[in-house]
Amino acid sequence: MSDPMRPPVSPRRPQPASPRSGPSSPRASLRTAVVWDVLKDALDRRVEATGRESLDVLDTGGGSGNFAVPVARLGHRVTVVDPSPNALFALERRAAEADVADRVQGVQGDAHGLFDVVDRGGYDAVLCHGVLEYMDDPAEGLRNAVGALRPQGVLSLLAAGLGGAVLARALAGHFTEARHALSDPDGRWGAGDPVPHRFTADQLTALVEGAGLAVGAVHGVRVFADLVPGVLVDTEPGALDALLKLETAAAELAAFHSVATQLHVLGETREPVEG
């Protein structure tokens, strides 16, 4: 019998990504490979289910297109909503350089007023990466993201993990701050903490289910990447590829969710009950 306290994990093991898959640079790939593999697999499954080669994807807080441009390179249409004009300008330039400008649209706005700039129920997939932790009401922000999905759609949610921050503060010798983060309702280590909210895997899955989605997968992200010295990864032959494989292997194990810098939850619309 499975442990009811363990968050769900994916029945699919994402394949190790090469340093050039998804987001471009090796260091960026190291931090996003797990998310990219899970996301690409989910999009491929939506293509198969819908019979359409090109999906409509919404990237809330997508910034300069770290995920939006690679998704567009798969042939999908991507709308990026971000409050920063500078980020949207960089998105436009990056999309043009990748020859996907016709499939990427940038719109100024935020998750709180999402439906002031995009339509409800208009997207096959919604990306909500690095957004929830900065919202005054994370549950409301997530409900908005889910509201943008079509009746059959998928949500890619990436948010700051509590355990990774506690571990980082402790390893830096800030033991009081690490202990404070453990007891703080928002997972903050002190007044100077730049991140308003951090989450456990249980908290994120509860938010996703509360917004009406089924949890399809939970993965820990940057379990080791932020702890390994950069000089080792950059200079030791084969180290980057080996670390990528290690991150992938540990990502879906619940034991490592509690120490991940970020947590990724894949939410899927619930299948209608046949009467």
Side-chain angles (χ1 to χ4, degrees):
M1 181 180 295
S2 62
D3 184 347
M5 296 302 292
R6 288 168 61 96
V9 296
S10 171
R12 294 179 173 83
R13 180 180 294 272
Q15 295 301 309
S18 73
R20 289 188 174 85
S21 68
S24 55
S25 73
R27 296 295 290 182
S29 177
L30 181 59
R31 289 174 169 80
T32 60
V34 169
V35 178
W36 175 252
D37 287 345
V38 175
L39 175 61
K40 184 178 182 301
D41 178 67
L43 294 175
D44 288 346
R45 286 187 282 118
R46 293 307 308 146
V47 166
E48 183 177 355
T50 61
R52 292 185 283 112
E53 292 185 359
S54 182
L55 303 176
D56 294 305
V57 179
L58 175 65
D59 189 352
T60 63
S64 61
N66 191 43
F67 277 90
V69 169
V71 168
R73 291 180 67 183
L74 296 177
H76 305 305
R77 297 176 294 272
V78 188
T79 299
V80 175
V81 176
D82 196 277
S84 169
N86 290 337
L88 293 175
F89 177 77
L91 167 70
E92 182 179 358
R93 183 176 57 198
R94 177 180 284 185
E97 291 173 351
D99 199 25
V100 294
D102 59 330
R103 293 195 294 272
V104 177
Q105 177 188 14
V107 181
Q108 190 171 1
D110 57 34
H112 178 71
L114 188 61
F115 300 118
D116 294 335
V117 295
V118 301
D119 294 332
R120 286 184 183 271
Y123 298 90
D124 300 290
V126 173
L127 280 58
C128 186
H129 294 173
V131 173
L132 222 58
E133 52 264 61
Y134 295 100
M135 297 202 69
D136 292 336
D137 188 343
E140 179 189 2
L142 191 57
R143 286 193 297 269
N144 281 352
V146 172
L149 285 172
R150 287 175 173 153
Q152 292 184 326
V154 62
L155 169 76
S156 176
L157 174 63
L158 182 66
L162 170 62
V166 173
L167 183 61
R169 300 314 288 173
L171 291 177
H174 302 299
F175 307 122
T176 300
E177 292 178 349
R179 185 164 58 86
H180 186 277
L182 281 173
S183 60
D184 184 78
D186 293 317
R188 290 168 55 83
W189 46 256
D193 192 338
V195 179
H197 305 279
R198 291 189 181 87
F199 306 90
T200 65
D202 286 344
Q203 289 171 334
L204 281 183
T205 55
L207 284 170
V208 169
E209 290 172 342
L213 297 183
V215 174
V218 180
H219 290 87
V221 179
R222 292 159 61 183
V223 175
F224 305 105
D226 292 348
L227 303 177
V228 176
V231 64
L232 187 154
V233 176
D234 295 335
T235 61
E236 189 71 20
L240 176 62
D241 185 59
L243 184 53
L244 280 169
K245 291 177 180 178
L246 177 61
E247 287 279 352
T248 300
E252 67 180 82
L253 300 179
F256 290 99
H257 295 168
S258 59
V259 294
T261 298
Q262 294 175 305
L263 294 164
H264 183 250
V265 179
L266 191 71
E268 300 173 322
T269 52
R270 299 182 186 275
E271 295 293 333
V273 178
E274 296 182 3

